Amino acid sequence: MANVPWAEVCEKFQAALALSRVELHKNPEKEPYKSKYSARALLEEVKALLGPAPEDEDERPEAEDGPGAGDHALGLPAEVVEPEGPVAQRAVRLAVIEFHLGVNHIDTEELSAGEEHLVKCLRLLRRYRLSHDCISLCIQAQVGSPPLDPTERFLPEEEKLTEQERSKRFEKVYTHNLYYLAQVYQHLEMFEKAAHYCHSTLKRQLEHNAYHPIEWAINAATLSQFYINKLCFMEARHCLSAANVIFGQTGKISATEDTPEAEGEVPELYHQRKGEIARCWIKYCLTLMQNAQLSMQDNIGELDLDKQSELRALRKKELDEEESIRKKAVQFGTGELCDAISAVEEKVSYLRPLDFEEARELFLLGQHYVFEAKEFFQIDGYVTDHIEVVQDHSALFKVLAFFETDMERRCKMHKRRIAMLEPLTVDLNPQYYLLVNRQIQFEIAHAYYDMMDLKVAIADRLRDPDSHIVKKINNLNKSALKYYQLFLDSLRDPNKVFPEHIGEDVLRPAMLAKFRVARLYGKIITADPKKELENLATSLEHYKFIVDYCEKHPEAAQEIEVELELSKEMVSLLPTKMERFRTKMALT
């Protein structure tokens, strides 16, 4: 190294950093790691120029040095040892290079090689890990003033960082540490801890102004899904409101080393993330409405007025607790940013809707985000995503219908569901989208089934239903049967044989389809006695299938307890009814 000016070594190191952090975003699609490999080559050059590691720093057995090894295994001292003298300085500079080589290999998915370099880094630093100069690299403890940033090893004295900048960088290291903890706990399926560290990471990024709006917003929106699943709607609303506000900053803040992209350079990513955040809002509205429905429905899925009254009485208590809950929650932002987030929150309820008007507000918000999501997730190019958005839209109409008391208006809501779902069955290839097709067929069948029930209830209120109403009921019945049968036929093997053992994933829907088909055949209105007898026989056949299947497969019974009991009842009653019908036909 004596023959190479120190300035040239530093220049190579800075060039390697630029290739890793900035040029990375300009790599061609087919060579995503091109700049990483170039950076690696420069780092290897710097390593060679620095010379070999000091002998006593590189002779410990590798078995003692893994990243998971303890202090004793690494031979780490308990006291602070400063890296003084040329030998120690070279060891620390080599440790910096080994660290960057390790990260480089991990970024290019060469994990074992990356681990080797990180082990070498730890080995070189073992004596100095608590020193002022090295603590940031080791991320062990902070002593006195902000520690030296690893890159300063290759900066001339006059370009060394200020204490403020060092502190900022070290805080960033801590924030990254929280982020990695969130990933680890997520991987370990310790979701509570993962959410805690994710929330803390997002909060610190805002505090230190170290974030990219698009990335931050999508992370906050994703975190909202954890809170939604936990039915913590206030926290979920806060995350989504913050996501909206921060996403709105895209293109308005200057690019940094960590966020080099400008909005104009990532138009597709911008619109995709906007669509993804919209989908998170849809889930918020839908889950909040569905949770309210579950709290207020009776045993046949209709609105229970007594439960509704009880929840109204509890509403005041929920509002009284709001302030104390808010104080406990981790809030994002301060000052103007906090006010902007609160302004978005105030427009959206976090309380379960208790009547049609409250449900309608959430429905309209959810529908707004459905349209926003569909702008990006179109059927051409994003088939699965598009279908899921449409299914969510249908589900919003379905749960809104629960709150509607007017039967005709409820019918129109189910009709809207069918209108948006039926075209999907035409566009989808049933071979490649078998599971999705099944879901849609079952949902369409259920929508027709609900419409038929509503039309029957409307007809029951009339003294003498006219032929038009009867025809309408039969047409709805026929359509429901068609889609339930399509669903059941999709379970057959290539020889068109229905399975003797139905898979666990489709067991309940298959049994429900059989039950509803049985009920539908019993609801067909006809003046032809022979046809009515045939319908009753078909109905009995499907009820009997359910009873027989549950006898052969007892585990299936717990999936459809209510339907099984009704099926047993009908298997007992229908033969007698059919016999009376035959006797009556013989007499006439």
Side-chain angles (χ1 to χ4, degrees):
M1 191 174 110
N3 298 327
V4 180
W6 176 241
E8 186 178 326
V9 176
C10 295
E11 188 176 328
K12 284 181 182 290
F13 178 75
Q14 294 297 338
L17 291 186
L19 283 165
S20 289
R21 296 173 178 175
V22 181
E23 296 300 317
L24 172 67
H25 304 282
K26 300 177 184 178
N27 287 339
E29 264 189 66
K30 293 182 179 179
E31 296 179 277
Y33 300 136
K34 182 180 178 181
S35 62
K36 288 283 184 184
Y37 294 140
S38 300
R40 184 186 300 175
L42 284 176
L43 289 169
E44 292 288 1
E45 286 181 34
V46 174
K47 181 179 175 181
L49 290 171
L50 290 173
E55 289 184 12
D56 61 335
E57 301 291 348
D58 202 33
E59 290 182 350
R60 295 185 66 83
E62 279 198 27
E64 297 180 4
D65 289 330
D71 289 5
H72 179 71
L74 283 169
L76 298 172
E79 71 281 0
V80 176
V81 179
E82 293 293 342
E84 297 174 349
V87 173
Q89 290 290 319
R90 187 165 84 251
V92 174
R93 284 167 178 159
L94 281 167
V96 173
I97 298 303
E98 293 292 356
F99 171 79
H100 283 282
L101 282 169
V103 172
N104 182 288
H105 280 82
I106 290 169
D107 286 346
T108 57
E109 300 182 41
E110 298 166 77
L111 303 185
S112 58
E115 184 178 347
E116 286 178 18
H117 284 290
L118 293 177
V119 166
K120 289 179 181 177
C121 172
L122 289 173
R123 189 185 304 150
L124 286 160
L125 286 175
R126 68 175 181 269
R127 289 186 176 181
Y128 319 112
R129 64 165 189 146
L130 297 181
S131 72
H132 174 268
D133 288 3
C134 304
I135 192 171
S136 181
L137 191 58
C138 292
I139 317 176
Q140 295 290 330
Q142 186 171 355
V143 181
S145 58
L148 225 62
D149 187 82
T151 59
E152 290 189 80
R153 285 285 161 194
F154 295 87
L155 289 175
E157 196 61 38
E158 63 272 14
E159 292 182 24
K160 295 281 172 132
L161 302 177
T162 62
E163 286 206 357
Q164 184 180 5
E165 181 60 24
R166 284 177 186 166
S167 180
K168 180 181 173 183
R169 293 196 181 192
F170 193 65
E171 290 288 350
K172 188 172 138 189
V173 170
Y174 178 65
T175 303
H176 279 162
N177 203 34
L178 294 177
Y179 172 77
Y180 296 135
L181 279 170
Q183 304 304 305
V184 169
Y185 283 121
Q186 179 76 16
H187 182 71
L188 294 173
E189 298 185 358
M190 298 170 70
F191 302 119
E192 291 275 0
K193 285 192 172 184
H196 168 74
Y197 283 110
C198 182
H199 210 150
S200 299
T201 301
L202 293 169
K203 185 175 171 64
R204 284 179 61 85
Q205 286 176 331
L206 289 180
E207 289 170 354
H208 296 285
N209 197 29
Y211 63 94
H212 187 283
I214 293 178
E215 183 183 350
W216 194 96
I218 197 64
N219 286 336
T222 302
L223 179 60
S224 76
Q225 303 304 285
F226 165 80
Y227 290 122
I228 289 170
N229 290 333
K230 299 284 287 183
L231 305 182
C232 300
F233 294 107
M234 178 182 283
E235 290 83 351
R237 180 187 65 171
H238 184 68
C239 289
L240 288 168
S241 300
N244 276 16
V245 172
I246 299 299
F247 192 82
Q249 296 177 356
T250 305
K252 297 176 184 176
I253 63 171
S254 57
T256 67
E257 178 185 276
D258 300 303
T259 61
E261 310 96 332
E263 181 184 334
E265 296 171 352
V266 284
E268 185 175 0
L269 178 63
Y270 173 86
H271 293 297
Q272 181 178 344
R273 295 295 186 245
K274 185 179 180 183
E276 288 168 353
I277 293 169
R279 291 185 67 181
C280 292
W281 272 108
I282 296 167
K283 291 296 183 186
Y284 173 85
C285 298
L286 181 56
T287 308
L288 186 50
M289 291 173 72
Q290 288 173 334
N291 182 252
Q293 178 181 352
L294 286 171
S295 302
M296 292 191 290
Q297 68 184 10
D298 57 22
N299 59 357
I300 59 169
E302 292 297 319
L303 179 64
D304 186 318
L305 296 177
D306 290 335
K307 289 182 179 179
Q308 186 183 42
S309 298
E310 288 172 12
L311 288 173
R312 284 191 190 282
L314 288 171
R315 172 66 66 83
K316 186 177 184 302
K317 184 182 177 184
E318 286 181 312
L319 289 171
D320 290 342
E321 289 176 351
E322 177 178 355
E323 187 176 350
S324 60
I325 294 171
R326 180 174 289 280
K327 285 177 180 176
K328 292 177 185 176
V330 181
Q331 299 294 300
F332 292 130
T334 55
E336 290 183 5
L337 179 57
C338 184
D339 292 341
I341 294 170
S342 296
V344 177
E345 286 182 288
E346 287 167 6
K347 296 175 184 176
V348 183
S349 175
Y350 71 91
L351 298 170
R352 291 174 294 186
L354 300 181
D355 55 37
F356 179 79
E357 288 306 316
E358 290 180 359
R360 184 173 176 272
E361 284 187 24
L362 279 169
F363 167 83
L364 291 174
L365 180 67
Q367 183 168 251
H368 163 78
Y369 284 110
V370 164
F371 296 147
E372 194 166 286
K374 285 167 74 174
E375 285 178 14
F376 181 81
F377 295 110
Q378 298 181 13
I379 193 74
D380 294 330
Y382 294 93
V383 179
T384 304
D385 294 290
H386 178 84
I387 289 168
E388 287 174 356
V389 172
V390 174
Q391 286 178 305
D392 283 343
H393 196 187
S394 169
L396 283 168
F397 270 106
K398 182 180 179 181
V399 72
L400 181 65
F402 168 81
F403 292 91
E404 178 57 76
T405 54
D406 185 287
M407 290 188 181
E408 288 291 355
R409 287 176 65 181
R410 285 175 76 176
C411 278
K412 288 177 181 176
M413 291 177 192
H414 291 305
K415 192 173 181 180
R416 287 286 302 274
R417 293 173 60 206
I418 292 164
M420 65 179 72
L421 291 169
E422 278 193 322
L424 297 178
T425 62
V426 178
D427 296 334
L428 288 179
N429 183 317
Q431 182 180 350
Y432 294 112
Y433 295 99
L434 176 63
L435 296 179
V436 174
N437 252 314
R438 282 178 182 168
Q439 290 174 7
I440 297 170
Q441 288 162 355
F442 189 88
E443 194 171 346
I444 294 171
H446 195 22
Y448 275 121
Y449 184 87
D450 286 342
M451 281 184 73
M452 185 210 69
D453 267 349
L454 288 166
K455 288 295 182 183
V456 168
I458 292 168
D460 287 344
R461 293 179 177 180
L462 303 173
R463 288 185 178 180
D464 186 21
D466 59 28
S467 59
H468 174 74
I469 293 177
V470 171
K471 185 179 179 181
K472 184 69 176 175
I473 290 170
N474 280 343
N475 283 340
L476 291 169
N477 192 315
K478 183 180 178 182
S479 296
L481 281 170
K482 171 191 169 183
Y483 281 101
Y484 277 130
Q485 199 56 56
L486 283 170
F487 169 79
L488 290 168
D489 287 344
S490 74
L491 302 176
R492 298 179 184 275
D493 65 19
N495 296 320
K496 308 298 181 185
V497 177
F498 200 79
E500 289 186 11
H501 186 272
I502 301 169
E504 189 179 336
D505 57 328
V506 289
L507 177 58
R508 177 165 171 75
M511 292 291 103
L512 282 176
K514 283 284 186 181
F515 177 81
R516 288 170 183 169
V517 166
R519 187 170 178 270
L520 286 165
Y521 271 106
K523 290 281 185 179
I524 296 173
I525 303 170
T526 177
D528 183 347
K530 186 179 178 182
K531 188 65 181 173
E532 186 166 354
L533 188 60
E534 287 176 5
N535 291 338
L536 289 172
T538 307
S539 180
L540 177 60
E541 180 187 334
H542 283 83
Y543 283 128
K544 199 168 185 308
F545 174 90
I546 295 168
V547 175
D548 291 345
Y549 187 89
C550 289
E551 284 180 0
K552 292 178 183 176
H553 308 278
E555 71 279 0
Q558 62 188 19
E559 293 290 327
I560 50 160
E561 291 179 0
V562 175
E563 291 80 8
L564 177 58
E565 287 305 310
L566 290 171
S567 297
K568 287 177 179 178
E569 224 176 283
M570 296 307 290
V571 167
S572 173
L573 295 174
L574 276 180
T576 307
K577 182 178 180 180
M578 291 167 66
E579 190 55 41
R580 284 201 304 267
F581 208 81
R582 288 192 193 96
T583 304
K584 186 178 178 181
M585 286 173 61
L587 292 173
T588 57

